[in-house]
Amino acid sequence: MTPDLYADIILPVPLPRLFTYQVPAEPEFKHLEPGIRVVVPFGKKKQYSGIIYCLHRNRPESYDTKPILSVLDKSPVVTAKQLDFWQWIAEYYQCTLGEVYKAALPSGLKLESETRVYFNPDYEQSDELPEKAVKLLFFLSEKKVATIGDINDFLEQKNSFNLLQKMIDEKAVFVTEQIKEGYRPKKENFLRVGETYRNETELHEAFNHLEKAPRQLELLMRLIQLVGGAGNALQGKTISRKLLLKEHPGSTTALNELIKKKILEQQAIEVGRLEQWQGNLKEKNTFSPAQAKAYEDIEESFKEHTVVLFHGVTSSGKTELYIHLIEKYLKAGQQVLYLLPEIALTTQITHRLKKHFGNKLGIYHSKFSNEERVEVYRDLLEEKNYQVILGVRSSIFLPFRNLGLIIVDEEHEHSFKQFDPAPRYHARDAGIMLAHRHGAKVLLGTATPSIESYYNAERGKYGLVELHTRYDDIQLPRIVVADLKEARRKKQMKSHFTPELFTEIQNALANKQQIILFQNRRGFSPFLECTVCSWVPRCNFCDVSMTYHKKMNQLVCHYCGHTVTTPTTCQACGSPALSTQGFGTEKIEEEVKLLFPEAKVARMDLDTTRSKKSYQTLISDFESGAVDILIGTQMVTKGLDFDNVNMVGILNADNLLNMPDFRAFERGFQMMAQVSGRAGRKNKRGTVVLQTSSPEHPIIQYVVENNYYQMYRSQLTERHAFNYPPYFRLIYLVLKHKQKPVVDKAAQSLAEHLRALLGSRVLGPQEPPVGRIQNQYLSRILIKFEKAHSPGRVKNIINDAVNTLLSHQRWKYVSIHADVDPL
Ligand code: ADP
Ligand code: ZN
Ligand code: ZN
């Protein structure tokens, strides 16, 4: 007798191992292979859908295995390449495969007994659902939402995952709430003449037969009319059920009769929810000579390098070059992934690519509903339509079959790094590893390369192509430095505006040109302060001051989202003299409206762009000229291309540079250069006014001269002197616990253990800038080690030390995570 078959399964739980289950002998389990989803019991009551990692015949010795309950897929939803990639992510970024699984699949593809299932009121019932599902729909239409656990109880069965997966695929139910965008059902019911009646004699027969049922006759005749005559009807042409019933309300019973008699047949047909491109596709633009040269250089460089850094100034036509490249890879039958930072994914770039690639372009974005994301995932898995994916960082987890090129646009952007929860991966770096697995090329594009990437290019690890001129030879904007200290001393400030900025805004408005104002903080003011005793309201759960949002009259914690009504008196001394300190976008908006009452003003930040729609509306209002002045946070700096913006104002450059972080200067330069790049992209040279209290600051000078290279050299010297990347690698170990003494002692003990092994490479522990988040106290250890050291070995040492620590009873409840290559 052959021994039992076992499956090692990835489950979405934060335990660093796989779980072994027994594969039952029944036929439905015969086709199991890695990447297929199965339903398994976990603990006393829970059930999960998990991914098969491997199959084997080694019975685990230390515990009794439970059997798999059921199988969800006929073929893998996670490919072998993906599993291999997951493994790399888990090892490199020091997290579990379960955590990667959680991040990698859209929620419609991962179920657990706690998963909440929502009723879809727009669902049109189809015959494809089994009776149990219909019963369940009634239950859900009453309750609106239930967990899979509840549903198991209701149907009096142990496992409803398969049924639910079917209903999810049918869009009869959702696993996330559909509140945002007004959901259109994906499938619609269509009607046509039934097969047996699709010849003249039989159809005639049907008419005779229906003499006594005038309603049915009427419906049949109307259907024939609507499909464009008997000829079409005989060929089986369809029309929408909704349409027919709209004209004949109250005829549902008659219609169902017709279907029952097989005179009509009903089919649910996909009406693809992601916009279909209808128009003609646009030819690509012809290159300018400089662009043509850059394009050739890129092709040439790819012959020797997997990764090429493309450093092109703002508005040099990088996107144009991407379009040409994408076309080339598509012609060769390969897929392309176009990665953009989250906030830069605008209608603008989508539209620009849609015009060229039509329905071959798929979009993967966190503002899309879960169903839309499942749709893109499945499309790639089944190799249907999409050959170019425009997406945010999580699109590196899509099931590519034949990837030829990854474009990482704005490669310097920090939002490519996932901060919380694990896996804390960098989509650019992970993308390069993904490319290796496909033998694909990677193009990193930006006007302001990250120090790391430029360093890699300078040393020949990456290819380097530079494009220093803007398209159409428009000059880069003139940059005016406005001295805040001076203006304050001379009492020339109008609220937060220096005379220089004020005048330039006036001029631009007079010339009917648009203006972007950049302020790095959202909200009205960073905090409230009591002018009597200096009390500042702080979050109850985190060690940060709360941000004042005037419109909502609320204080909001930007770390945990905790919100309270703005107090009217000081909670410490009772004085009503609370004043706002500092300023955010909301305050600037208010001031601009007062100073320039004739201008139309809009604000773009996290608070005004919660939904996909509001973001698009803001951008199209600005594009169409319905808005004169756009005020925003970093969001306005990212890859936007407006023809008529001639003036950009940076309200306070100092708070960009004064961050306690070794990347502050690099980041400050990048932000200022990027936002300046929005000015004067078409027609005419633009103007930037940069307000600062330290006009002599070298970084400000580099921005004025547009001197990326000097900025890079100066930063490199500092990084070298203080052992930072690109010369050293960094890993943070972050410890959390409800009690401060516990977390401090645990961190102390871990740091000592590590220091014994790694010496002075271990720094800390230290309390991070925000020492408490959501009622958990934090402590942080920094490990810096030479590039030449094997990261694998260092990570093993760290892992062992962490495990030793956690094996002590007293530290058992301390949570520890690593942040590899933190930003
Ligand atoms: P970048 O991505 O470097 O900021 P874009 O590709 O957005 O630059 O180009 C800036 C502007 O110039 C865009 O409006 C673009 O349509 C236009 N442009 C760039 N190259 C060409 C070209 N070869 N032909 C026509 N228009 C171009
Ligand atoms: Zn908080
Ligand atoms: Zn007070």
Side-chain angles (χ1 to χ4, degrees):
M1 209 182 89
T2 43
D4 287 343
L5 186 61
Y6 297 95
D8 286 353
I9 291 171
I10 306 171
L11 291 180
V13 295
L15 292 173
R17 60 189 194 88
L18 300 167
F19 297 84
T20 307
Y21 286 83
Q22 194 191 321
V23 179
E26 280 90 17
E28 58 167 303
F29 298 96
K30 280 284 173 282
H31 69 288
L32 290 195
E33 60 175 301
I36 281 187
R37 290 174 309 152
V38 291
V39 181
V40 296
F42 190 80
K44 278 217 175 67
K45 280 170 79 179
K46 276 193 152 229
Q47 294 173 353
Y48 284 110
S49 71
I51 308 281
I52 298 187
Y53 185 76
C54 64
L55 295 158
H56 59 82
R57 297 195 183 271
N58 312 319
R59 176 196 195 84
E61 306 212 328
S62 54
Y63 60 96
D64 276 341
T65 52
K66 293 181 194 165
I68 293 173
L69 296 175
S70 66
V71 191
L72 290 177
D73 307 303
K74 294 200 173 67
S75 55
V77 296
V78 182
T79 65
K81 272 208 181 84
Q82 282 178 289
L83 279 179
D84 181 49
F85 182 53
W86 288 16
Q87 183 78 49
W88 178 83
I89 297 256
E91 266 166 33
Y92 187 84
Y93 291 106
Q94 304 217 272
C95 65
T96 69
L97 271 173
E99 287 167 322
V100 184
Y101 162 44
K102 271 188 167 172
L105 288 194
S107 23
L109 293 175
K110 356 168 246 235
L111 305 176
E112 51 187 272
S113 37
E114 309 283 278
T115 300
R116 293 161 79 82
V117 178
Y118 295 84
F119 178 67
N120 173 12
D122 289 331
Y123 175 67
E124 286 193 53
Q125 209 160 306
S126 88
D127 309 333
E128 285 165 51
L129 286 188
E131 202 175 316
K132 251 192 194 149
V134 178
K135 195 171 148 201
L136 182 57
L137 276 181
F138 279 113
F139 172 69
L140 280 174
S141 68
E142 294 271 299
K143 282 200 69 165
K144 306 289 181 255
V145 53
T147 65
I148 298 188
D150 297 340
I151 291 169
N152 285 344
D153 292 345
F154 169 72
L155 293 176
E156 296 180 338
Q157 60 185 16
K158 278 221 179 86
N159 164 14
S160 312
F161 281 64
N162 295 61
L163 179 71
L164 279 164
Q165 185 66 55
K166 214 176 203 163
M167 293 174 70
I168 291 164
D169 293 347
E170 275 284 309
K171 311 281 190 284
V173 296
F174 300 126
V175 291
T176 45
E177 218 167 347
Q178 301 292 315
I179 28 168
K180 297 156 247 161
E181 310 288 335
Y183 176 77
R184 287 181 279 138
K186 184 194 156 199
K187 282 195 170 176
E188 213 180 308
N189 283 321
F190 282 81
L191 297 165
R192 58 176 172 182
V193 172
E195 207 183 337
T196 40
Y197 290 91
R198 254 179 257 154
N199 64 65
E200 275 179 51
T201 357
E202 292 297 329
L203 192 59
H204 197 72
E205 211 27 56
F207 276 110
N208 290 339
H209 177 75
L210 292 178
E211 284 290 304
K212 277 160 274 149
R215 277 218 150 164
Q216 295 177 35
L217 185 62
E218 199 185 345
L219 276 176
L220 177 62
M221 286 179 7
R222 186 63 186 141
L223 178 132
I224 292 172
Q225 233 178 347
L226 282 173
V227 297
N232 285 345
L234 289 174
Q235 280 170 17
K237 212 167 163 217
T238 61
I239 69 142
S240 128
R241 173 183 165 119
K242 246 195 203 146
L243 195 72
L244 188 66
L245 283 180
K246 209 159 132 193
E247 292 195 0
H248 299 269
S251 294
T252 322
T253 331
L255 179 60
N256 289 342
E257 270 309 302
L258 282 170
I259 295 170
K260 218 167 163 186
K261 290 179 185 152
K262 302 219 158 110
I263 296 174
L264 292 187
E265 79 194 17
Q266 175 167 304
Q267 280 178 298
I269 292 179
E270 302 221 359
V271 285
R273 216 152 8 83
L274 301 179
E275 258 170 78
Q276 289 288 313
W277 179 260
Q278 306 284 0
N280 291 329
L281 295 185
K282 189 176 175 295
E283 277 299 304
K284 48 194 192 314
N285 289 322
T286 344
F287 282 146
S288 68
Q291 290 173 338
K293 167 85 170 52
Y295 185 82
E296 269 170 41
D297 289 350
I298 290 172
E299 284 191 313
E300 204 47 44
S301 192
F302 272 147
K303 288 183 184 155
E304 282 170 41
H305 299 96
T306 301
V307 185
V308 170
L309 174 63
F310 176 29
H311 175 208
V313 295
T314 52
S315 207
S316 56
K318 291 184 292 297
T319 317
E320 291 293 328
L321 266 83
Y322 301 153
I323 291 170
H324 284 242
L325 267 178
I326 294 170
E327 196 176 281
K328 175 179 154 176
Y329 281 85
L330 294 196
K331 274 204 179 121
Q334 291 185 300
Q335 297 169 314
V336 178
L337 169 61
Y338 187 140
L339 280 174
L340 265 175
E342 179 82 43
I343 33 192
L345 252 193
T346 65
T347 27
Q348 284 197 327
I349 185 70
T350 311
H351 198 72
R352 233 168 128 181
L353 294 185
K354 270 264 167 199
K355 276 195 301 205
H356 290 280
F357 304 109
N359 298 329
K360 290 182 191 158
L361 178 72
I363 295 156
Y364 200 72
H365 187 202
S366 66
K367 288 230 167 98
F368 278 11
S369 73
N370 176 52
E371 282 65 34
E372 285 169 308
R373 273 181 282 168
V374 172
E375 204 155 342
V376 172
Y377 193 98
R378 290 244 189 237
D379 184 286
L380 284 172
L381 195 65
E382 291 153 24
E383 298 179 83
K384 288 206 287 215
N385 299 309
Y386 300 137
Q387 280 148 49
V388 193
I389 295 292
L390 176 66
V392 294
R393 60 170 181 255
S394 58
S395 27
I396 59 169
F397 292 118
L398 286 168
F400 296 100
R401 298 283 183 177
N402 178 22
L403 195 58
L405 174 69
I406 301 179
I407 295 167
V408 186
D409 194 11
E410 315 287 357
E411 68 84 30
H412 64 280
E413 263 299 317
H414 287 199
S415 63
F416 280 126
K417 179 95 188 324
Q418 160 92 7
F419 179 65
D420 224 11
R424 295 176 175 79
Y425 64 100
H426 195 303
R428 174 195 61 209
D429 303 342
I432 292 171
M433 295 313 291
L434 178 70
H436 278 302
R437 284 172 169 68
H438 285 266
K441 300 291 180 189
V442 181
L443 186 68
L444 309 178
T446 171
T448 52
S450 65
I451 303 281
E452 281 92 338
S453 293
Y454 205 83
Y455 179 76
N456 281 330
E458 210 178 36
R459 290 191 330 147
K461 190 173 164 196
Y462 299 167
L464 177 64
V465 174
E466 305 201 74
L467 181 54
H468 292 300
T469 51
R470 282 189 151 184
Y471 176 68
D472 235 8
D473 291 324
I474 305 241
Q475 276 181 291
L476 283 161
R478 174 175 69 99
I479 297 184
V480 178
V481 179
D483 189 336
L484 280 167
K485 263 204 304 240
E486 178 97 347
R488 280 194 196 114
R489 195 171 53 81
K490 294 187 181 157
K491 306 225 177 317
Q492 292 170 327
M493 293 293 287
K494 287 196 170 71
S495 57
H496 290 99
F497 295 79
T498 55
E500 290 92 332
L501 182 53
F502 188 83
T503 315
E504 290 295 343
I505 294 177
Q506 258 182 338
N507 290 345
L509 287 174
N511 294 326
K512 301 256 171 294
Q513 281 165 338
Q514 290 174 301
I515 298 155
I516 290 179
L517 296 179
F518 171 64
Q519 168 59 11
N520 196 28
R521 277 181 179 138
R522 66 195 164 101
F524 188 77
S525 72
F527 53 92
L528 282 183
E529 193 180 61
C530 171
T531 50
V532 178
C533 75
S534 295
W535 172 79
V536 172
R538 303 176 77 82
C539 177
N540 284 340
F541 309 102
C542 315
D543 275 344
V544 285
S545 53
M546 312 244 324
T547 305
Y548 176 47
H549 288 242
K550 188 176 182 192
K551 223 182 223 145
M552 307 181 282
N553 192 29
Q554 277 173 339
L555 298 176
V556 179
C557 169
H558 285 188
Y559 278 82
C560 74
H562 178 60
T563 303
V564 295
T565 317
T566 311
T568 48
T569 53
C570 170
Q571 316 266 292
C573 77
S575 150
L578 296 177
S579 81
T580 55
Q581 298 293 321
F583 59 102
T585 43
E586 195 184 348
K587 178 144 194 188
I588 296 300
E589 183 187 13
E590 190 178 281
E591 288 177 359
V592 167
K593 283 178 174 162
L594 285 174
L595 292 172
F596 306 98
E598 74 285 9
K600 286 161 284 172
V601 182
R603 170 162 60 96
M604 182 153 100
D605 55 29
L606 252 177
D607 300 314
T608 62
T609 57
R610 299 262 176 224
S611 79
K612 186 164 70 178
K613 265 245 182 65
S614 55
Y615 194 62
Q616 291 172 358
T617 313
L618 265 174
I619 285 177
S620 62
D621 281 355
F622 197 50
E623 262 175 348
S624 70
V627 166
D628 303 312
I629 305 180
L630 182 65
I631 299 156
T633 52
Q634 290 96 301
M635 249 184 218
V636 297
T637 70
K638 308 292 149 64
L640 293 173
D641 183 29
F642 298 113
D643 289 358
N644 195 36
V645 173
N646 214 261
M647 208 264 125
V648 164
I650 298 173
L651 280 136
N652 187 339
D654 307 324
N655 62 25
L656 295 175
L657 299 172
N658 295 339
M659 306 264 187
D661 169 4
F662 74 95
R663 284 194 169 86
F665 287 4
E666 175 189 4
R667 200 178 311 187
F669 177 88
Q670 286 165 341
M671 275 193 204
M672 288 188 260
Q674 290 287 346
V675 73
S676 304
R678 301 313 114 203
R681 289 169 74 85
K682 282 273 169 72
N683 313 321
K684 180 169 164 259
R685 189 177 189 194
T687 302
V688 176
V689 176
L690 198 163
Q691 300 194 137
T692 172
S693 307
S694 36
E696 304 305 323
H697 197 294
I699 293 294
I700 302 279
Q701 291 310 310
Y702 300 144
V703 174
V704 171
E705 298 157 13
N706 183 40
N707 199 337
Y708 172 82
Y709 192 70
Q710 278 308 318
M711 186 283 295
Y712 165 75
R713 289 249 77 89
S714 75
Q715 288 309 294
L716 217 49
T717 313
E718 285 190 19
R719 304 279 181 93
H720 192 259
F722 299 103
N723 296 352
Y724 277 115
Y727 302 100
F728 274 63
R729 288 180 204 276
L730 306 185
I731 297 178
Y732 274 130
L733 289 176
V734 180
L735 294 83
K736 288 188 207 163
H737 192 270
K738 281 203 298 288
Q739 290 164 346
K740 188 163 168 54
V742 175
V743 81
D744 285 347
K745 279 201 198 104
Q748 200 60 50
S749 159
L750 180 60
E752 272 162 28
H753 184 174
L754 284 169
R755 238 186 297 277
L757 300 163
L758 294 167
S760 60
R761 295 181 190 87
V762 181
L763 299 155
Q766 233 185 12
E767 189 178 311
V770 178
R772 183 175 56 124
I773 296 178
Q774 290 183 303
N775 262 343
Q776 299 264 344
Y777 288 90
L778 276 66
S779 182
R780 197 164 72 175
I781 298 168
L782 174 60
I783 296 146
K784 277 180 172 180
F785 58 99
E786 301 83 337
K787 261 279 163 70
H789 252 65
S790 144
R793 268 195 33 216
V794 175
K795 284 172 194 170
N796 284 340
I797 291 173
I798 294 175
N799 272 340
D800 290 346
V802 167
N803 289 336
T804 312
L805 185 88
L806 293 180
S807 65
H808 284 92
Q809 195 56 29
R810 49 195 296 228
W811 311 128
K812 214 169 126 191
Y813 295 108
V814 176
S815 102
I816 305 182
H817 74 250
D819 188 358
V820 177
D821 305 334
L823 287 181

